[in-house]
Amino acid sequence: YDQLDSFRKLMKQMDIKRDEMETIFNVLDSDNSGEVSYLEFCSNLGGFQKRDPVIMHSIVHCAVMEVRKLIKDEVLEAMHQHHEEV
């Protein structure tokens, strides 16, 4: 996104912002391999452009899961700190 002007322009046309890229990557990385093949990316690109309800649902679901993990991590850290203080 930051290095390829043509990619950034394409994402802008689809109203996909820089801060949404990680969530989109996680949605596309359905096997959690840490990689998204060119074929996976291209086959789902149309769904993003059309705002396909299935793709949009997946994005929202993934974003919610990321928020849940962040909250869980913060709560666990706070509990750990509290336990050390007691």
Side-chain angles (χ1 to χ4, degrees), residues 26-43:
N26 290 333
V27 168
L28 296 178
D29 183 21
S30 58
D31 62 357
N32 294 321
S33 66
E35 297 179 356
V36 175
S37 73
Y38 181 75
L39 181 60
E40 285 175 310
F41 183 78
C42 290
S43 65

Side-chain angles (χ1 to χ4, degrees), residues 1-61:
Y1 193 95
D2 295 330
Q3 298 172 358
L4 292 173
D5 189 49
S6 57
F7 182 75
R8 184 173 43 256
K9 286 178 183 177
L10 178 61
M11 296 299 103
K12 186 175 180 177
Q13 287 176 343
M14 292 188 294
D15 195 29
I16 297 174
K17 296 169 182 57
R18 169 78 174 84
D19 60 346
E20 299 170 322
M21 291 303 298
E22 184 174 350
T23 300
I24 290 170
F25 177 86
N26 290 333
V27 168
L28 296 178
D29 183 21
S30 58
D31 62 357
N32 294 321
S33 66
E35 297 179 356
V36 175
S37 73
Y38 181 75
L39 181 60
E40 285 175 310
F41 183 78
C42 290
S43 65
N44 288 296
L45 203 53
F48 288 110
Q49 190 164 14
K50 295 183 290 188
R51 296 292 189 204
D52 180 291
V54 173
I55 295 291
M56 300 315 293
H57 176 267
S58 295
I59 291 172
V60 169
H61 176 74

